Amino acid sequence: MITFLPKEFFLFDSLTIFFFAVIGLICIPSAIFSIGYLREEALKKKLISWVLLAAFILSMCFVIISGNLFSFLIFWELMSLTSYFLVVLDYKHEKSIRAGTIYLVMTHIGTACLMAAFFILYNYAGSFDYSAVKEAAFALPPSIRNIIFLLLFIGFATKAGVVPMHIWLPYAHPQAPSYVSSIMSGVMIKIAVYGMIRFFVMLLLPAPAWWGAVILVFGIISCLVGVIYALMDHDLKKLLAYHSVENIGIILLGVGAAIFFAARGVIPVAALAMCAALYHLVNHALFKGLLFLCSGSVYKATGLRDIEKMGGLIKTMPATALFFLIGAMGISALPPLNGFVSEWLTFQAFFSGAVESQGAVRIFMIVSAAALALTGGLAAACFVKAFGITFLALPRSARAREAKETGFMMKTGMALLAVPVVIFGVGAGFIAPVILRVSRAVLGVQNAEVSLYLASVLPVLIAVVVLGTALAVFLWFRFCLRTGQVRYNTWDCGYYALDSRTEYTATAFSKPFRIAFSFFLLPYHKSEKIRDSFYHVSKFMYETHTTLVFRKFFYEPLVRFVYSFAWKVRKLQPGSIHLYILYIFITLAGLIALAAIF
């Protein structure tokens, strides 16, 4: 008997509890941060912001506890709408409206794909309940299963910001308030990963190996594209947004490898890969949430997002600089912080998979590991740029010189995320086994033998070495060099009058990478000489830009086609009621004919 209304409205299992923990870890500090962030705003704007924020958080919670397709889709749409209103909260600025519009269009394209997949599943299962879908999945024809996979992947990948569906993310994250960006990047895009795990790993069984290979390929592309674009950008929040694309790619490496090896029957490697994906998911939520809050602190103090106009903030904003440094080390996978552990687990999964495989599969695993290694190196370079240009050297603008440290509530929000970044690294020996149990439950196995020894011990050993070295250096300077303190001016090839114009810039820092990846970035520049007279040049202006390849060669032609097509079909709507009645009659006749056929 076919039932339309679902019976299993809510679902609680290991995966649900894990994502609840992630939501709490990020949303509570971000909400505390918002109190200080909105301190100078009008009461009406504060109330609207907090009501929307509460609705946004609740909608994400209900998405993950939904026990059927119907409630999942309802709360998914509520999550999208509330996040849209938070993006356009500053509706008086054209950039906010544009970012919100791009986000709304892309998220509804993704929702349309999910709806199509859900209705196909309902047609075969006769119910929206997950249990009925799981039971019907075994009998699905292979072609239908593949269509459902592609629709679901496009829908979830669009929300997650996977390349090339990432186009909305560099617009929406920078325009949203920083505490909203923290939750959108730290939690919301992970809800899409939850959807992938729930459907591809737990419901649509058995998943073929090529599903995992597809996810792996898109993960590799997202890793590299995200980090390369982040290296080129000098807008602090947009730079962090591109790193969300990169880290979603790293998470997909783990998810894809888990599906791939589970389909091939190599369960220990699949469990390790899923553990790495879930560990990096929570790690990224922590350090990216922290970095977005730090960017909000910088913006509140300076009114700037362009790091070329900052500099010297470590002297006036020491707490923010410390928190940003912790987040930067975490996202760069530097030991002993949390990013190192999850990326080490991902490497371990790839190398274990290579050992268990042969031929093309072994090469594929090695290439995936190489892509992850390159991504990690580029990410570290990017955050050397971001931290150095923003916080070190001399201020490059009056706003940077006049900056002051932000208030207690904002520093509390940042501290509540900075501490777990350290704990999830040094305490991996206690945390990794818990996440491994979740990964086993997700895969439906209990006896997969996985070694987490190195991932647990290495961060502790490195932390001991680092702290011991720092203590030794301090004691050496403190007791062995007590010969008097001598101060000298900074020397630069005989030139002592240093100012902000002689500093290394973000553009100069990224130039070698812009040259190295010019085949993809397609850089271009323009220069202009401003003259007082024919013989005297007073200024020389130089600008360089990179090409947003996916926007220029895919999305812009697509938008032009849609507008052109809409202009041509507008004749179908001439304003005649008689013609509209004819349209209705033709539609009804067509539906009756289809019903008679099927």
Side-chain angles (χ1 to χ4, degrees):
M1 178 179 179
I2 295 178
T3 57
F4 179 77
L5 292 177
K7 297 177 182 177
E8 302 172 358
F9 208 79
F10 296 120
L11 171 70
F12 292 94
D13 58 11
S14 298
L15 187 64
T16 299
I17 295 169
F18 173 82
F19 272 88
F20 258 123
V22 175
I23 290 174
L25 277 172
I26 307 307
C27 292
I28 292 173
S30 298
I32 294 172
F33 183 90
S34 72
I35 298 173
Y37 191 89
L38 298 170
R39 183 170 58 88
E40 298 177 358
E41 301 292 342
L43 179 61
K44 180 180 178 182
K45 186 172 182 179
K46 290 181 183 179
L47 292 175
I48 293 173
S49 301
W50 287 328
V51 168
L52 286 173
L53 186 64
F56 181 36
I57 296 171
L58 285 173
S59 64
M60 290 189 293
C61 292
F62 280 110
V63 168
I64 64 172
I65 65 172
S66 294
N68 60 81
L69 306 178
F70 184 79
S71 59
F72 184 97
L73 198 61
I74 294 298
F75 293 119
W76 180 274
E77 186 64 11
L78 284 174
M79 177 182 71
S80 301
L81 289 175
T82 50
S83 55
Y84 161 74
F85 287 121
L86 286 166
V87 170
V88 299
L89 199 60
D90 195 3
Y91 62 89
K92 294 182 180 179
H93 287 79
E94 183 181 348
K95 287 185 178 180
S96 296
I97 300 299
R98 186 187 181 201
T101 302
I102 294 173
Y103 171 58
L104 196 65
V105 170
M106 292 302 297
T107 195
H108 279 91
I109 290 173
T111 302
C113 291
L114 294 182
M115 288 180 64
F118 287 177
F119 281 117
I120 294 173
L121 286 170
Y122 173 79
N123 184 58
Y124 282 89
S127 172
F128 285 114
D129 294 330
Y130 285 167
S131 57
V133 170
K134 186 174 182 178
E135 184 178 345
F138 290 97
L140 285 174
S143 59
I144 299 299
R145 289 169 57 84
N146 294 337
I147 291 172
I148 292 172
F149 165 73
L150 292 174
L151 288 171
L152 289 175
F153 181 71
I154 293 171
F156 291 131
T158 301
K159 178 66 74 177
V162 177
V163 175
M165 289 78 78
H166 70 293
I167 188 70
W168 65 270
L169 203 146
Y171 291 96
H173 280 11
Q175 293 307 127
S178 292
Y179 60 91
V180 176
S181 301
S182 173
I183 297 175
M184 288 180 70
S185 180
V187 183
M188 186 191 75
I189 62 176
K190 310 302 190 314
I191 301 298
V193 178
Y194 165 84
M196 292 186 191
I197 296 173
R198 175 68 67 186
F199 283 91
F200 300 156
V201 181
M202 304 179 73
L203 293 181
L204 298 179
L205 301 174
W210 74 267
W211 289 11
V214 168
I215 295 173
L216 268 170
V217 169
F218 277 93
I220 293 171
I221 295 171
S222 295
C223 284
L224 296 175
V225 170
V227 75
I228 290 170
Y229 276 139
L231 263 168
M232 298 303 110
D233 216 296
H234 306 326
D235 183 314
L236 187 57
K237 290 189 71 177
K238 190 175 286 189
L239 178 151
L240 295 176
Y242 278 122
H243 274 290
S244 294
V245 177
E246 170 219 338
N247 281 273
I248 280 293
I250 295 174
I251 295 168
L252 291 190
L253 292 180
V255 174
I259 296 173
F260 183 82
F261 285 108
R264 295 171 63 89
V266 190
I267 302 302
V269 177
L272 178 59
M274 183 59 70
C275 179
L278 293 176
Y279 209 130
H280 197 75
L281 186 148
V282 66
N283 284 345
H284 176 252
L286 289 169
F287 54 62
K288 183 53 66 65
L290 171 61
L291 289 167
F292 267 118
L293 294 189
C294 291
S295 71
S297 178
V298 170
Y299 179 74
K300 274 295 179 181
T302 64
L304 300 170
R305 292 203 323 237
D306 185 355
I307 63 176
E308 294 281 37
K309 298 178 181 178
M310 299 181 192
L313 295 182
I314 194 171
K315 298 176 182 177
T316 55
M317 304 180 69
T320 300
L322 174 62
F323 295 139
F324 192 96
L325 181 60
I326 292 172
M329 292 176 65
I331 199 172
S332 301
L334 297 179
L337 301 186
N338 61 350
F340 168 78
V341 178
S342 51
E343 292 199 22
W344 177 272
L345 288 172
T346 308
F347 278 120
Q348 191 175 339
F350 285 138
F351 292 138
S352 299
V355 170
E356 296 290 336
S357 306
Q358 293 180 347
V361 175
R362 177 175 292 182
I363 295 173
F364 187 30
M365 291 301 108
I366 294 172
V367 169
S368 300
L372 179 58
L374 177 58
T375 300
L378 294 176
C382 184
F383 277 96
V384 168
K385 178 192 80 170
F387 182 81
I389 304 299
T390 303
F391 292 99
L392 304 181
L394 298 173
R396 297 178 182 80
S397 65
R399 290 185 178 184
R401 283 191 293 272
E402 297 166 2
K404 295 181 180 179
E405 187 62 88
T406 47
F408 174 76
M409 299 303 287
M410 294 173 73
K411 285 188 286 189
T412 300
M414 291 185 284
L416 289 175
L417 287 176
V419 172
V421 170
V422 179
I423 292 175
F424 274 69
V426 178
F430 302 99
I431 298 169
V434 176
I435 296 179
L436 179 60
R437 286 199 293 271
V438 177
S439 70
R440 285 171 173 163
V442 166
L443 293 168
V445 297
Q446 297 300 327
N447 299 320
E449 294 296 330
V450 177
S451 174
L452 300 176
Y453 179 75
L454 283 176
S456 303
V457 172
L458 273 178
V460 178
L461 292 177
I462 293 170
V464 170
V465 170
V466 170
L467 291 175
T469 304
L471 180 61
V473 171
F474 171 77
L475 293 175
W476 186 66
F477 272 95
R478 181 73 175 81
F479 296 106
C480 298
L481 293 180
R482 301 183 65 178
T483 57
Q485 200 173 47
V486 180
R487 293 182 178 272
Y488 296 96
N489 292 327
T490 302
W491 182 82
D492 185 23
C493 298
Y495 184 71
Y496 292 97
L498 298 175
D499 60 16
S500 60
R501 297 187 65 185
T502 59
E503 294 174 4
Y504 208 58
T505 64
T507 303
F509 187 95
S510 61
K511 184 176 180 179
F513 302 100
R514 190 163 58 249
I515 295 172
F517 296 104
S518 60
F519 65 92
F520 172 70
L521 293 169
L522 305 178
Y524 60 96
H525 67 272
K526 62 178 181 179
S527 57
E528 180 183 0
K529 294 180 179 179
I530 301 176
R531 300 174 180 271
D532 290 339
S533 65
F534 181 79
Y535 297 102
H536 183 252
V537 177
S538 60
K539 292 181 180 179
F540 185 88
M541 299 183 66
Y542 177 84
E543 292 183 21
T544 182
H545 302 277
T546 55
T547 303
L548 297 175
V549 174
F550 294 100
R551 189 182 76 177
K552 182 175 181 179
F553 296 107
F554 180 73
Y555 284 100
E556 288 182 357
L558 181 61
V559 169
R560 286 196 297 268
F561 170 77
V562 170
Y563 274 106
S564 175
F565 181 75
W567 182 260
K568 291 177 181 177
V569 301
R570 68 188 180 91
K571 296 178 181 178
L572 295 175
Q573 193 177 4
S576 171
I577 189 66
H578 302 291
L579 192 58
Y580 297 157
I581 293 173
L582 177 62
Y583 293 160
I584 296 171
F585 175 78
I586 293 172
T587 303
L588 288 174
L591 291 174
I592 292 170
L594 287 173
I597 294 172
F598 295 102

